[in-house]
Amino acid sequence: MEQLIKITTVPIQYELKINKARLEYQNSKAELEIRRNEGGLSIKSRPVRLNLDTFEARNSITPTTARSVKQSAEKGKTAAYNATAQFAQEGQLMLKTDIGEDAINQVIAQRTQLPTGDFQLGFIPTEPVEINYQPASLTINYQMDKLNFDLKVANGNFEFIPGNIELTITQQPDLLIEYIGGPIYVPPSADPNYEALDVRA
């Protein structure tokens, strides 16, 4: 009797990938940063300065209102003192007058006496002009350019990478059942190669 069924077993297939443990070192990177500070040249000059203060000189000729009031008050005060002294002198003269003397004419003669002495014209300043002198100056400031260096160096890093095993299944297990016989006819007499069995005994 011939075999009608073929059974095939497909085994599992896999791949193993083994990665060994390793120690990696990363080199350090150095960075250099340069900054420039620009210098410059600055020159400062100041010319000669002459300050003239003519306030007091002008007041000695044409005084201001405040100065004029002050001077008038001082003149009035001086005139009052002089008048008081003159009246006191004339009173003393009147008290010492003998009978027969003409004291009134003496008093009138003193009052009408012409003034003597030097007279000054008020057209020339009596106060000097204040003069302040500041000499010229020259200042030169020069500053060179500056370079700033900033060096940054990082330390190297060690990295440990552990080993591992990778399992990859490339083919799943399977069971193949294959029918290898000829066709089966129902009823069997439909088979063109059918041969009747002799059942006679």
Side-chain angles (χ1 to χ4, degrees):
M1 184 177 181
E2 63 177 332
Q3 183 179 357
L4 299 179
I5 297 174
K6 180 181 180 182
I7 299 175
T8 306
T9 301
V10 179
I12 187 173
Q13 293 183 1
Y14 58 88
E15 292 181 357
L16 287 178
K17 184 177 180 181
I18 300 175
N19 296 321
K20 297 181 180 181
R22 63 185 184 275
L23 182 65
E24 292 184 354
Y25 172 75
Q26 296 179 356
N27 293 331
S28 60
K29 295 181 180 179
E31 297 180 358
L32 178 61
E33 182 179 353
I34 301 176
R35 295 189 305 271
R36 177 185 178 187
N37 297 331
E38 295 183 358
L41 175 65
S42 61
I43 300 176
K44 295 181 180 179
S45 63
R46 186 182 66 185
V48 177
R49 181 176 296 177
L50 181 64
N51 298 325
L52 301 176
D53 188 359
T54 61
F55 180 77
E56 295 296 335
R58 286 185 287 107
N59 272 337
S60 65
I61 299 176
T62 306
T64 61
T65 303
R67 183 67 63 87
S68 179
V69 171
K70 183 178 180 181
Q71 290 177 355
S72 298
E74 291 178 355
K75 288 180 181 179
K77 188 176 180 181
T78 303
Y81 288 154
N82 293 334
T84 302
Q86 184 179 356
F87 287 148
Q89 184 179 4
E90 290 177 355
Q92 291 290 332
L93 183 62
M94 296 291 285
L95 290 175
K96 295 179 181 180
T97 303
D98 295 332
I99 297 175
E101 292 184 3
D102 193 2
I104 296 177
N105 289 330
Q106 293 179 6
V107 172
I108 293 174
Q110 287 181 0
R111 290 187 178 183
T112 58
Q113 185 180 0
L114 294 177
T116 59
D118 297 331
F119 298 94
Q120 297 180 355
L121 297 177
F123 301 104
I124 299 176
T126 58
E127 296 291 335
V129 177
E130 294 184 5
I131 301 175
N132 293 326
Y133 170 77
Q134 293 181 359
S137 64
L138 178 63
T139 303
I140 300 176
N141 185 13
Y142 174 71
Q143 187 175 6
M144 298 179 60
D145 293 349
K146 296 181 180 179
L147 292 179
N148 297 325
F149 297 91
D150 190 4
L151 180 61
K152 298 178 181 179
V153 179
N155 295 326
N157 296 327
F158 289 92
E159 182 180 3
F160 174 73
I161 300 176
N164 61 353
I165 298 175
E166 297 179 3
L167 175 63
T168 304
I169 298 177
T170 60
Q171 180 176 311
Q172 296 289 340
D174 198 1
L175 181 64
L176 302 177
I177 300 175
E178 182 182 0
Y179 177 75
I180 60 174
I184 299 175
Y185 297 93
V186 178
S189 59
D191 186 0
N193 299 323
Y194 176 75
E195 293 180 359
L197 296 176
D198 189 7
V199 294
R200 292 181 294 172

